[in-house]
Amino acid sequence: MDDLLLSSKLKRVDSATGSVSPRVCAADALPTTTPAASTALRQTQKAPKTPYVILPASDTFEKFRKTSRVSVDIGGTLIKVVYSSVMDEELPEESLNGHTRKYAYEDGKRVLVNFKKFTDMDRFINFLKEVWTDRKRGDVIHCTGGGSYKYSEIIMKELGVRLQRTDEMRSLIFGVNFLLSTNVDESFTYHHDAIGRNKFQYRPIAADLIYPFLLVNIGTGISILKVDSPTSYERVGGSSMGGGTFMGLGSLLTPAQNFDELLEMANRGDHRNVDKLVCDIYGGAYDELGLKADLIAGSMAKCNRFEETTKKQQHKPEDIAKSLLLMVSNNIGQMAYLYGTRYNLKRIYFGGYFIRQDPITMRTLSFAINYWSKGEIEALYLKHEGYLGAMGSFLDEDGKLDD
């Protein structure tokens, strides 16, 4: 689902009128000059099969026409790669806030950033050996995440490059700021009752209204960051119950072999077979407290082996996976709401590879934010949610160099 959405063009649907609006972007954050063509350009190629974003033609990115840049965010589970390429295929210009931003340089070529993920270090290394064809000894790979320490020697040895380590939180903020202000349909809301891609409705925002916002980054654990500007941010909270909890308990309680299998299992499950609902306790809704009958009262409470029952029920792994996903997602949603309320923030962006544009996860997070805030706070998602750190590391010029 995440790669499909990354490769899709989302429509903007006005939440009040339901009308489809022209595509616009958040802001013209970068200059739109078109530098003269260089005499030593990289070999061009056709549009890649991997998801990509076209960079605006500007002095900032002109250097990537000559030399490739590669960055990687190595987490506890996934390896996320962002790398540049040059393309000469014709692509439509995007309308950004009523203005046309230039993507092609004077010679018609465009610079792309491409996105790819791996679960295996060997496959990641082999992939870079194939696509990073202009690398030479002494070149630099930008790297962030905990794995930038663990795997630094392997990366430098196998690729014959130096490693520039960038701060994880700084990279995260760089990445989200850049994508929100540059990519046309980066930010979107999720609408479960819509059909097909209309479930994902993008939400552009004017440059002067981007800040402040809350960023909830869900990886192994959870980091909650209050972002006031491109350079002003702080980590205001977090939790140990994140993607690692979902995977760890899922490994113990189901036969799933990896994260994607666990998500697929959850999508087939029925949590009502293992969760105790309000109606299981009260026989229906608890109107005095505003609790609906189908609200979860106790996650996995029907799995209790200590209660005296005439028949012990065998619970399906799919139902357990569904309950587990809802348990983690509901807690993240409520925690995000509390921090949003504390700092009086109306927009909460969810990032990190736990989400994977999974419909159950997004529906649960959106429901939790809407339910607890009574519609006053909006849950938003990012097309490149899992690549924020890698994207920020790609842009960061001030990392620490390892030789």
Side-chain angles (χ1 to χ4, degrees), residues 5-10 23-30 51-56 94-96 101 103 113 115 175-188 202-205 210 381-385 388 391:
L5 188 57
L6 283 174
S7 302
S8 303
K9 294 294 185 181
L10 304 185
R23 292 166 59 85
V24 295
C25 181
D28 280 339
L30 296 169
Y52 62 88
V53 168
I54 308 173
L55 297 178
E94 295 285 6
S95 175
L96 310 179
R101 169 176 284 173
Y103 288 89
V113 284
F115 304 86
V176 70
N177 287 338
F178 173 78
L179 289 167
L180 281 176
S181 61
T182 304
N183 194 32
V184 177
D185 52 2
E186 182 63 35
S187 169
F188 66 92
Y202 89 93
R203 283 287 192 274
I205 184 168
I210 290 179
Y381 305 93
L382 302 162
K383 284 182 72 173
H384 298 86
E385 59 189 14
L388 303 181
M391 186 71 247

Side-chain angles (χ1 to χ4, degrees), residues 235-379:
R235 185 181 187 275
V236 295
S239 172
S240 62
M241 196 171 77
T245 305
F246 177 62
M247 291 186 65
L249 289 177
S251 298
L252 291 172
L253 300 174
T254 77
Q257 296 299 306
N258 54 54
F259 195 99
D260 289 324
E261 277 190 25
L262 192 57
L263 277 182
E264 290 173 7
M265 196 174 284
N267 275 278
R268 299 194 303 268
D270 186 344
H271 74 99
R272 294 171 297 181
N273 294 327
V274 295
D275 289 343
K276 189 165 286 189
L277 310 182
V278 169
C279 64
D280 294 320
I281 300 174
Y282 298 104
Y286 194 156
D287 295 327
E288 289 79 2
L289 294 181
L291 302 177
K292 294 182 179 180
D294 60 353
L295 201 66
I296 299 173
S299 296
M300 298 192 187
K302 290 181 181 177
C303 298
N304 185 357
R305 293 186 292 106
F306 307 119
E307 288 186 351
E308 293 184 5
T309 57
T310 56
K311 183 179 179 180
K312 297 296 183 181
Q313 182 180 353
Q314 293 296 320
H315 300 288
K316 295 180 180 179
E318 292 83 358
D319 299 340
I320 293 173
K322 179 70 166 288
S323 172
L324 182 58
L325 181 59
L326 292 176
M327 180 182 73
V328 174
S329 300
N330 272 319
N331 275 276
I332 294 172
Q334 185 175 20
M335 182 173 61
Y337 154 73
L338 292 172
Y339 277 100
T341 301
R342 178 181 178 184
Y343 293 103
N344 195 29
L345 299 173
K346 301 302 181 185
R347 286 174 294 110
I348 300 177
Y349 291 98
F350 291 94
Y353 243 111
F354 170 75
I355 301 173
R356 307 278 185 100
Q357 275 97 42
D358 177 69
I360 297 175
T361 307
M362 290 189 292
R363 182 186 187 186
T364 305
L365 291 172
S366 296
F367 174 83
I369 295 297
N370 183 70
Y371 177 84
W372 292 107
S373 72
K374 294 180 173 60
E376 293 185 3
I377 300 177
E378 192 170 33

Side-chain angles (χ1 to χ4, degrees), residues 204-255:
I205 184 168
D208 58 346
L209 297 177
I210 290 179
Y211 309 99
F213 62 84
L214 198 71
L215 175 62
V216 180
N217 193 57
I218 314 168
T220 302
I222 303 165
S223 287
I224 299 179
L225 298 104
K226 177 175 173 284
V227 184
D228 295 308
S229 75
T231 57
S232 177
Y233 59 89
E234 65 173 319
R235 185 181 187 275
V236 295
S239 172
S240 62
M241 196 171 77
T245 305
F246 177 62
M247 291 186 65
L249 289 177
S251 298
L252 291 172
L253 300 174
T254 77

Side-chain angles (χ1 to χ4, degrees), residues 133-145:
T133 55
D134 64 337
R135 77 181 188 284
K136 54 186 180 296
R137 188 162 296 277
D139 280 351
V140 174
I141 182 171
H142 291 218
C143 197
T144 191

Side-chain angles (χ1 to χ4, degrees), residues 119-227:
T119 57
D120 180 82
M121 178 58 63
D122 290 336
R123 290 185 179 180
F124 156 69
I125 293 291
N126 291 332
F127 176 79
L128 286 189
K129 287 179 178 179
E130 291 179 9
V131 299
W132 196 359
T133 55
D134 64 337
R135 77 181 188 284
K136 54 186 180 296
R137 188 162 296 277
D139 280 351
V140 174
I141 182 171
H142 291 218
C143 197
T144 191
S148 65
Y149 296 89
K150 184 176 181 179
Y151 297 105
S152 59
E153 291 187 9
I154 295 175
I155 293 172
M156 290 189 289
K157 178 181 178 181
E158 291 293 328
L159 295 175
V161 298
R162 295 181 295 169
L163 185 144
Q164 180 171 303
R165 190 176 295 109
T166 58
D167 178 75
E168 191 169 357
M169 288 299 110
R170 175 183 164 100
S171 295
L172 188 68
I173 298 302
F174 271 34
V176 70
N177 287 338
F178 173 78
L179 289 167
L180 281 176
S181 61
T182 304
N183 194 32
V184 177
D185 52 2
E186 182 63 35
S187 169
F188 66 92
T189 54
Y190 179 74
H191 303 267
H192 184 74
D193 295 329
I195 300 173
R197 290 178 185 172
N198 287 327
K199 291 177 181 288
F200 313 99
Q201 298 174 8
Y202 89 93
R203 283 287 192 274
I205 184 168
D208 58 346
L209 297 177
I210 290 179
Y211 309 99
F213 62 84
L214 198 71
L215 175 62
V216 180
N217 193 57
I218 314 168
T220 302
I222 303 165
S223 287
I224 299 179
L225 298 104
K226 177 175 173 284
V227 184

